[in-house]
Amino acid sequence: MKRKIFIKNTGIAGATLIASPSLFSNPILNNLNMTKTTPVAVATWNFQNATKKAGKMLESGSKALDAVEQGVMIEEANLKNTTVGNGGAPDRDGNVTVDACIMSPDGDAGAVVYLKEIEHPVSVARKVMEETPHVMLAGEGALQFAIQQGFKKKNLLTEDSEKAWKDWLEHKEYKPIINIENHDTIGMLCLDDKGDIAAACTTSGLSYKVNGRVGDSPIIGAGLFLDNEVGGAVGTGMGEAIMKSVGSFLIVELMRNGMSPQEACKEAVIRTIRKAPNYKDFQVAYVALNKQGEIGSYCIHKGFSYAKFHKGESTDNLSASYLDE
């Protein structure tokens, strides 16, 4: 059932909503002087194959929503990437579980958590957004929905990931390592030629996590958030820290109130540091994109970078970091 049809049938469309002034008053929206937008795709970490895919689609006239979905799917299918999709590291019990979310320019969103045996959770998340009245589906329900939508089951535990897990079982020691891909993800933002922004985030989560653990990546406002009037943000690193600060939502609201993407990312990281005395033990990083196509990024530890595709050029860009200033 299409979401719009569901809303119409339940009478929600006829409800009268009373608008109230935003707690985050907007001093900049009235001053936006938008010219023709140059498409751009940015993503956490050096996932240039993903941004190239999305960027070339944008340059060919694709909508931001289509580009961002197809872009992150590159990493979901990348067997060498042990933190996203197929080939992802399992939890402590040997289960590969994937999480993803997606947001469209109109503010709609979809997400799946603790999903098994589906290579492209971001596409399932989009189906949740477009075909149901819900935002998030989990576990067995998410799998059943995916199958109903035509997705095929697939064993996501590769031989290499299984071997690494069995080696880990001999010691059973869990310790996140800064900037080592045992807890990273891909979050992507796309700005199309019409000036619309879309975003997606997908991951298999922490390597050898406790069975059932879900991080920030599929949580709207934490691992990802956008407002098409302002811009968007995505996060990566230690998901628990990002969830506690609702970091991506914070960045968008800071941009709404006049901060540049760079200033907003830095402030979001600083707020996490203030609340976490052990901040030197984990990484948190953000990338933000505003409606003018300006990009910002900031992290705790040096070593984080983001991929960008703009005007036919693909680049890896080192982020500014708190502990390197």
Side-chain angles (χ1 to χ4, degrees):
M1 178 182 291
K2 295 288 186 181
R3 181 188 295 262
K4 291 181 180 178
I5 296 175
F6 178 91
I7 291 174
K8 181 178 180 180
N9 289 344
T10 54
I12 297 175
T16 301
L17 300 179
I18 300 174
S20 59
S22 172
L23 293 177
F24 303 95
S25 60
N26 188 345
I28 66 169
L29 290 185
N30 293 332
N31 296 321
L32 290 180
N33 181 21
M34 295 297 294
T35 58
K36 181 171 176 58
T37 302
T38 303
V40 59
V42 293
T44 55
W45 302 103
N46 187 25
F47 293 133
Q48 290 191 60
N49 288 336
T51 50
K52 284 179 185 177
K53 174 68 175 181
K56 289 180 178 179
M57 288 181 64
L58 292 170
E59 290 184 343
S60 297
S62 294
K63 294 181 179 179
L65 184 62
D66 295 327
V68 80
E69 178 189 10
Q70 293 290 321
V72 299
M73 285 173 66
I74 295 294
E75 289 306 315
E76 288 180 334
N78 181 4
L79 297 182
K80 295 181 179 180
N81 185 341
T82 60
T83 66
V84 180
N86 196 5
D91 62 24
R92 299 182 183 194
D93 296 334
N95 306 298
V96 179
T97 61
V98 291
D99 309 315
C101 70
I102 193 167
M103 283 195 77
S104 67
D106 64 6
D108 213 349
V112 289
V113 300
Y114 199 72
L115 178 62
K116 298 179 182 179
E117 300 181 289
I118 300 294
E119 184 175 31
H120 293 298
V122 71
S123 298
V124 184
R126 182 169 179 176
K127 287 292 187 181
V128 172
M129 177 177 72
E130 295 179 339
E131 304 293 338
T132 82
H134 310 304
V135 171
M136 182 178 289
L137 295 179
E140 282 298 318
L143 178 58
Q144 291 173 7
F145 172 76
I147 293 171
Q148 290 168 359
Q149 293 297 314
F151 293 87
K152 304 299 183 183
K153 283 187 176 183
K154 186 172 186 177
N155 180 14
L156 304 183
L157 184 62
T158 61
E159 290 184 9
D160 288 343
S161 289
E162 184 176 19
K163 181 180 182 303
W165 167 62
K166 289 180 178 178
D167 290 342
W168 177 84
L169 286 175
E170 296 180 6
H171 305 285
K172 293 186 178 181
E173 179 182 5
Y174 173 72
K175 182 179 181 181
I177 304 173
I178 304 302
N179 289 335
I180 300 298
E181 292 192 353
N182 71 331
H183 62 282
D184 298 326
T185 184
I186 178 170
M188 181 180 288
L189 297 158
C190 284
L191 176 68
D192 64 27
D193 59 7
K194 295 181 176 61
D196 288 328
I197 295 179
C201 195
T202 180
T203 187
S204 56
L206 284 160
S207 301
Y208 321 129
K209 59 195 174 187
V210 172
N211 188 351
R213 181 263 186 187
V214 174
D216 69 296
S217 296
I219 307 301
I220 303 300
L224 174 157
F225 190 73
L226 70 83
D227 186 319
N228 202 38
E229 294 180 337
V230 181
V234 288
T236 185
M238 185 53 64
E240 283 73 8
I242 294 173
M243 292 169 76
K244 292 174 185 176
S245 64
V246 200
S248 291
F249 175 80
L250 171 62
I251 289 169
V252 172
E253 292 307 316
L254 291 172
M255 291 194 297
R256 188 192 305 278
N257 282 271
M259 282 192 180
S260 69
Q262 185 63 36
E263 292 169 333
C265 287
K266 182 174 182 178
E267 176 61 22
V269 169
I270 295 300
R271 292 199 190 186
T272 291
I273 289 171
R274 289 172 182 161
K275 298 291 186 179
N278 65 328
Y279 68 87
K280 291 184 179 180
D281 296 333
F282 61 86
Q283 175 72 297
V284 162
Y286 294 104
V287 178
L289 173 69
N290 69 11
K291 290 282 283 185
Q292 289 75 29
E294 297 172 325
I295 299 168
S297 180
Y298 201 78
C299 57
I300 297 177
H301 296 266
K302 63 181 180 180
F304 169 71
S305 66
Y306 64 91
K308 178 177 75 171
F309 190 92
H310 183 229
K311 294 184 177 180
E313 182 181 6
S314 178
T315 57
D316 178 35
N317 306 269
L318 190 64
S319 174
S321 59
Y322 177 79
L323 292 178
D324 197 36
E325 291 188 345

